[in-house]
């Protein structure tokens, strides 16, 4: 078996445990047992468990990115793209706060880009499906605030808000999303609670964006 095959097998095992038992349940010994290896193989190929867990967590972004591209494909208005992107992100994030919090604000943030490169080396067929420019913006950076700023900066260039306000709003939106996610780290498995939390958070972000738009 090739090194790539071994890595993929370990990623799949970690993802299976993550999906079935939750983010906190992904342990080196259990992943190795599921994949049919000794735990030392994980450290040999990935350096540490965190990097492997990050790779497995990226699988959770597949559905989000697909939906995001579909939502924004026919939209040219930068403010509307920002809102739609937040709506999609929040819906997925609140249904799995531990994974999204770790990827975009937690330990995985520092290794996110390296993990994405590794992920697409292991799954090259996935990147061939991606054609949207926004995909690269959304997927290759863990900085959700910077993604939002890039969209709102376009609105600033159009005279719809100041550049200073675009920077401010993007940072505040990130803080709102992160704080709201942290409030639901324990109760997100209740579908109704997760959906309602996502909707409430989106209303706050939408209101923040609208407040700083220049009307006239």
């Amino acid at each position: 078996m090739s090194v790539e095959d071994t890595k993929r097998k370990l990623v799949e095992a970690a993802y299976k445990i993550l999906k079935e038992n939750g983010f906190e349940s992904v342990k080196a010994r259990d992943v190795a047992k599921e994949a049919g290896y000794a735990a030392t193989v994980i450290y040999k190929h990935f350096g540490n468990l965190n990097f492997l867990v990050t790779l497995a967590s990226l699988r959770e972004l597949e559905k989000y990115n697909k939906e995001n591209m579909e939502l924004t494909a026919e939209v040219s208005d930068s403010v509307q793209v920002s809102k739609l992107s937040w709506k999609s992100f929040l819906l997925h994030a609140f249904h799995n706060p531990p994974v999204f919090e770790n990827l975009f604000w937690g330990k995985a943030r520092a290794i996110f880009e390296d993990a994405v490169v590794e992920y697409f080396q292991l799954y090259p067929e996935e990147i061939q499906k991606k054609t949207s420019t926004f995909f690269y913006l959304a997927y290759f950076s863990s900085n959700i605030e910077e993604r939002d700023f890039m969209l709102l900066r376009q609105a600033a260039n159009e005279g719809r808000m100041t550049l200073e306000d675009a920077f401010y709003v993007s940072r505040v939106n990130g803080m709102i999303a992160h704080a709201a996610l942290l409030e639901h780290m324990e109760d997100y498995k209740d579908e109704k609670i997760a959906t309602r939390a996502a909707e409430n958070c989106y209303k706050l972000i939408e209101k923040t964006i609208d407040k700083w738009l220049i009307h006239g």
Side-chain angles (χ1 to χ4, degrees), residues 58-91:
L58 289 175
R59 294 289 299 274
E60 286 292 291
L61 296 189
E62 282 296 322
K63 187 175 180 181
Y64 155 60
N65 274 286
K66 181 176 184 296
E67 179 181 293
N68 215 0
M69 285 189 291
E70 291 173 349
L71 283 172
T72 59
E74 304 299 326
V75 181
S76 57
D77 184 291
S78 56
V79 172
Q80 190 64 14
V81 171
S82 175
K83 290 181 178 181
L84 289 173
S85 297
W86 272 116
K87 180 175 284 189
S88 175
F89 177 83
L90 295 170
L91 181 62

Side-chain angles (χ1 to χ4, degrees), residues 35-137:
Y37 297 109
T40 53
V41 176
I42 291 175
Y43 301 97
K44 175 183 176 181
H45 290 296
F46 299 105
N48 55 65
L49 180 63
N50 184 39
F51 195 80
L52 174 57
V53 172
T54 302
L55 287 171
S57 297
L58 289 175
R59 294 289 299 274
E60 286 292 291
L61 296 189
E62 282 296 322
K63 187 175 180 181
Y64 155 60
N65 274 286
K66 181 176 184 296
E67 179 181 293
N68 215 0
M69 285 189 291
E70 291 173 349
L71 283 172
T72 59
E74 304 299 326
V75 181
S76 57
D77 184 291
S78 56
V79 172
Q80 190 64 14
V81 171
S82 175
K83 290 181 178 181
L84 289 173
S85 297
W86 272 116
K87 180 175 284 189
S88 175
F89 177 83
L90 295 170
L91 181 62
H92 290 277
F94 276 91
H95 280 82
N96 204 335
V99 167
F100 277 76
E101 198 280 331
N102 184 56
L103 284 175
F104 293 95
W105 290 279
K107 292 181 179 179
R109 182 163 177 162
I111 60 173
F112 186 94
E113 293 179 18
D114 289 338
V116 169
V117 171
E118 175 82 7
Y119 181 82
F120 285 118
Q121 287 176 347
L122 294 176
Y123 301 96
E125 66 278 5
E126 291 299 327
I127 201 168
Q128 294 171 7
K129 302 175 185 177
K130 320 300 181 187
T131 57
S132 168
T133 300
F134 188 77
F135 158 75
Y136 293 97
L137 174 62

